[in-house]
Structure formats: structure tokens, C-alpha cells
Amino acid sequence: DAGVIQSPRHEVTEMGQEVTLRCKPISGHDYLFWYRQTMMRGLELLIYFNNNVPIDDSGMPEDRFSAKMPNASFSTLKIQPSEPRDSAVYFCASSSGIHEQFFGPGTRLTVL
Amino acid sequence: AQTVTQSQPEMSVQEAETVTLSCTYDTSESDYYLFWYKQPPSRQMILVIRQEAYKQQNATENRFSVNFQKAAKSFSLKISDSQLGDAAMYFCAFSSGSARQLTFGSGTQLTVLP
């Protein structure tokens, strides 16, 4: 049974470029979460969806960040334009009716 | 707003010994869930154990068990018979019954000494 799939695993880009991170949740899960992990701020929620609808996006840093979930099996997190302070590990997680969340392997983003 | 505090940035334990990682939380909610996640160097977040607030019995998963003190808002993780593979960063996390997102502590880096 496949877990949460994220791509790419690593992304190196230059400041000002657009970055798109992708996530495929576990089949049947109706909640999808995007988290960011940095040394300074730890793990923090960016946004989460329920049945493809954004429920809480209060953690999205600013207008440069946007997230979509066009269907139950796919979500994207986009940063445009990217800045060096966006460098972090970005995790996608999914869950069903229970509260425990299952995480993907993460995307390590480096913005030069 | 909920907060989760892990006051031990680093811990070490001898292989085969027992270690306890501490976690406290603050919430006004009565319905909530608590978790311990493990993050090895691969950075994969792995669920170790979960506890529902309404359950009085402490959760156990093989060598892992928790001491859940609801009145004190304390949720510690005990690892028995520590193994080299237990070395990782451990995060305590909180989820309320109404809001699904996880609030994480700052983590405890566990070293297992051979």
C-alpha cells in the first residue's frame, strides 16, 4: 500500500524563480496537510484541506505562497517568486477519519 | 491556541536501557489527541504512538509506552530496551478534536550509545 508521495525530493532553485511542490495523498484519505520544517521555526502548518477544500490557510507566510487541491489524489504548493528564506523541508501529510497523520518523505528546497 | 513544550533538546541512553522523553502541552479543549513522531536522519516522519485524551489507559506499542497525566497536561514517552535504530529526533504533537492540524513541540534529539 503506497504511502504519501511527494515530488521532487530535492529542489534547488535561484531567487525569483517559481517553485512547485507536489503531493499525492494516501488513497481514501480526505484530509491533506502541508507543513514546513526549519531549524528556526520547527514544524509548522501552512495549510490543510478537507475533501479538496482549503480549511485553514492561516499558516501560509504571504501571498507568494499558494496551494491547490484539484482532486482527491493530488495537491500542489507553489512559491512565486521564491526567496532564500523559503529554504526548508516541506512535508505533505494525509489522514482519514482518525486524527493520526501519515507523512510523505518531504521535499528539501534550497533557494540560492 | 495550543502549545506543546519539549524541555529536553537532547537526551542520550545506553543501548538496552530505558529512557523517558518529556512533553507538556497547554489547551482549553477537552477533546484532543496526542502523538509522538520519530524523525530519523532520513527525515521521514514516523508515527510512534498516539493517545486519545478521553482514554485513561496509557497507550503502548511494543517497546514504546506513554505516561499520560491529563490533569498535569503531561505526555511523556518511555522507550524500553533501547536500540541503535531508536536514535532520532522525537516530536510530541497535539491535535484538537475540532481542528485537525498538528501542533508540534521543538523536538528531543535522542542518541543511543552502544
Side-chain angles (χ1 to χ4, degrees), chain A residues 35 37 98 100-101 103, chain B residues 37 39 44 50 100 102:
Chain A
Y35 293 92
Q37 184 177 31
I98 54 177
E100 57 195 60
Q101 296 179 20
F103 283 74
Chain B
Y37 279 86
Q39 187 177 39
Q44 176 73 52
R50 62 174 271 165
R100 289 291 184 132
L102 291 171

Side-chain angles (χ1 to χ4, degrees), chain A residues 9-10 31 33 35 37 43 45 48 56 89 91 96-101 103-108, chain B residues 31 33 35 37 39 42-47 50 91 95-105:
Chain A
R9 294 292 307 276
H10 303 272
Y31 285 86
F33 305 81
Y35 293 92
Q37 184 177 31
L43 277 153
L45 176 79
Y48 81 93
D56 184 350
V89 178
F91 286 101
S96 60
I98 54 177
H99 277 247
E100 57 195 60
Q101 296 179 20
F103 283 74
T107 296
R108 179 177 293 280
Chain B
D31 178 25
Y33 302 79
F35 306 88
Y37 279 86
Q39 187 177 39
S42 67
R43 78 169 179 253
Q44 176 73 52
M45 294 288 287
I46 302 166
L47 178 65
R50 62 174 271 165
F91 292 96
S95 172
S96 73
S98 56
R100 289 291 184 132
Q101 65 264 42
L102 291 171
T103 299
F104 288 92

Side-chain angles (χ1 to χ4, degrees), chain A residues 12-74:
Chain A
V12 180
T13 190
E14 294 190 347
M15 182 174 63
Q17 296 298 306
E18 178 179 291
V19 175
T20 299
L21 310 182
R22 298 173 175 79
C23 175
K24 176 179 170 56
I26 293 172
S27 178
H29 282 192
D30 53 354
Y31 285 86
L32 184 138
F33 305 81
W34 284 100
Y35 293 92
R36 180 171 67 175
Q37 184 177 31
T38 61
M39 290 295 292
M40 291 297 294
R41 299 176 64 90
L43 277 153
E44 53 183 348
L45 176 79
L46 297 176
I47 185 172
Y48 81 93
F49 297 83
N50 177 219
N51 291 323
N52 313 336
V53 176
I55 303 301
D56 184 350
D57 65 353
S58 59
M60 296 287 264
E62 48 199 271
D63 292 345
R64 298 185 297 106
F65 285 69
S66 62
K68 294 182 179 180
M69 192 164 186
N71 57 63
S73 59
F74 184 66

